[in-house]
Amino acid sequence: MTRGRRQAPVSKKISESAVRRLSLYLRTLEELDRAGQEMVSSEQLAAKSATTAAQVRKDLSLFGSFGKRGFGYTVEELGRALRDILGLTQPWRVALIGAGRIGSALFEYRGLTHRGFQIVAVFDCDPSKIGRKWGDSMIRDVAELERVVGDLDIQIAILAVPVEAVQGVMDQASRAGVRGVLNFAPRRLKVPAGVTVKDVNLVIELESLTFALSQGV
Amino acid sequence: MTRGRRQAPVSKKISESAVRRLSLYLRTLEELDRAGQEMVSSEQLAAKSATTAAQVRKDLSLFGSFGKRGFGYTVEELGRALRDILGLTQPWRVALIGAGRIGSALFEYRGLTHRGFQIVAVFDCDPSKIGRKWGDSMIRDVAELERVVGDLDIQIAILAVPVEAVQGVMDQASRAGVRGVLNFAPRRLKVPAGVTVKDVNLVIELESLTFALSQGV
DNA sequence: CTAGTATTGTGAAGGTTTTCACAAGCTGTG
DNA sequence: CACAGCTTGTGAAAACCTTCACAATACTAG
Ligand SMILES: NC(=O)c1ccc[n+]([C@@H]2O[C@H](COP(=O)([O-])OP(=O)(O)OC[C@H]3O[C@@H](n4cnc5c(N)ncnc54)[C@H](O)[C@@H]3O)[C@@H](O)[C@H]2O)c1
Ligand SMILES: NC(=O)c1ccc[n+]([C@@H]2O[C@H](COP(=O)([O-])OP(=O)(O)OC[C@H]3O[C@@H](n4cnc5c(N)ncnc54)[C@H](O)[C@@H]3O)[C@@H](O)[C@H]2O)c1
């Protein structure tokens, strides 16, 4: 029987909610790090991440053993481990498709670059927008998507196009070799196996809010 | 033993995921309605909403009995029932706080008004923005928040301010009597009991995407 | 009216996630 | 070195959610 720590997972299935919490823990750790704190207990990490100490320990135990009994976790070390688990050790190259209102907000959002997501190309289909300069680069014709994704080694696409266009753009993107997609259009996308989609849907958020509000009366 | 249909729930606890699916079903129903379809089976509703027929029926059964055995559901009737359950029978009055990049994208987003969310006031703290005209109304000083929320009977606030400012703005909003909040800033908010918060956090979405991508290697 | 077909509504089973509780183990102190 | 104090890591229990499977039932056709 091996005794290693920080062991690779035995390929257990990890729940979506566990992964989302890991991302939260990482943000909390970064705040602690900025505040100069070196150690943190599962108790404290939980309090700052709106969960419980047991949940924190269970989540981490899915991936290995990162703490010291009696003392807690080293902020920096655990942060490194989480970045590693979440696949954040090297920056990701992202295409933004749709240079409209949401697209421009995202393009200028420092929170993304900061976390290692580099928008390396922007696409649109509107001739009046194509060629316009955004930041260092230029808005490209979405027809070039396939070529550019290959040339720039893009792995992720953010879809910020109108709902009627989104499935078509998705098809182009998956043909181009994009493996992950963040979709802002309110439609469930059909994708080939091997492509992962995450949806951001404001209306669902708002409606789950109004549900809660009208329940609580 | 009563035999009523469409019974009010016996105040069971409804899971967040069930509510989110209801919102999805509603969108699907609206699409079917636009397409002129009158009846729908749980099977079809499930296929279009990326879930299973059993799940659809179970979700609906939490709130009552809306279908006809042997036939399915009336698109319009079920739509009405879902709007009722989700608290969408009358429009909600929303304050947008933070007239920056994300704020302006949201303000112009038709998808919200469309679904009965009316942005009736916009607030900022930047003197160069206050007083500027947006749509029919004007950007107001966030200092007026408390008064305006009362005057305009605002129930929901969308927070689109920088992360450093968000807890302060949240405190103002809850003092003002806002009961629901959609928060775009990447920080967990502390709120008094009776206030519900939903977070929209892009970085979590992207990181759960990169987790999936780096697992799947 | 009866038979036949289709689909709902729902207990029960099965599966997953969260919480509990405690042995294991690290560190500082005397 | 032994002990005290504290926190992790983890099986087991509890809670929660999804899937299964089928009786109940609505409607149509004959
Ligand atoms: N604006 C918001 O706050 C908001 C919020 C949530 C979701 N969304 C969703 O995000 C998407 C974009 O919204 P928006 O408000 O930015 O719209 P927008 O109209 O401002 O921008 C859409 C952009 O996509 C471009 N486009 C259209 N078809 C294209 C194609 N086939 N290929 C490439 N580019 C194409 C358009 O030229 C335009 O520049 C929509 O699906 C919307 O439902 C928007
Ligand atoms: N831009 C994006 O795409 C994006 C994406 C996800 C999340 N976010 C988050 O949304 C928030 C807003 O981002 P943004 O890019 O729109 O920023 P922004 O700087 O463009 O806009 C923020 C606005 O808030 C105003 N403001 C600051 N303090 C305020 C206060 N106390 N009261 C009222 N208004 C105040 C500012 O004057 C500014 O107009 C941030 O927390 C950001 O992390 C942004």
Side-chain angles (χ1 to χ4, degrees), chain A residues 105-106 109, chain B residues 97-103 123-126 129 142 160-163 165 169 184-186 202:
Chain A
L106 292 172
Y109 184 41
Chain B
I97 313 182
R101 291 171 295 225
I102 264 282
F123 297 88
D124 207 294
C125 70
D126 179 344
K129 287 185 178 171
V142 71
V161 301
V163 67
V169 170
F184 280 84
L202 287 203

Side-chain angles (χ1 to χ4, degrees), chain A residues 4-25:
Chain A
R5 314 149 106 247
R6 207 153 317 165
Q7 236 159 289
V10 200
S11 193
K12 285 199 53 170
K13 226 198 114 255
I14 309 294
S15 72
E16 175 75 12
S17 39
V19 175
R20 300 173 76 88
R21 283 192 300 268
L22 294 180
S23 174
L24 261 177
Y25 303 156

Side-chain angles (χ1 to χ4, degrees), chain A residues 20 23 27 50 85-87 101 106 108 115 179 188 198 201-202 205 207-208 210-211 213-214, chain B residues 20 23 27 50 85-87 101 106 108 115 179 188 198 201-202 205 207-208 210-211 213-214:
Chain A
R20 300 173 76 88
S23 174
R27 182 171 7 276
I85 291 166
L86 292 170
R101 290 171 295 224
L106 292 172
E108 293 175 22
R115 277 306 196 95
R179 296 177 45 229
R188 270 302 158 96
K198 300 282 166 187
N201 190 321
L202 286 204
E205 302 302 330
E207 291 183 352
S208 78
T210 58
F211 175 79
L213 296 186
S214 34
Chain B
R20 299 173 78 87
S23 173
R27 182 172 6 278
I85 291 166
L86 292 170
R101 291 171 295 225
L106 291 172
E108 293 175 23
R115 279 305 197 98
R179 296 176 47 229
R188 271 300 157 99
K198 300 283 165 182
N201 191 322
L202 287 203
E205 302 302 330
E207 291 181 353
S208 77
T210 57
F211 174 79
L213 296 185
S214 34

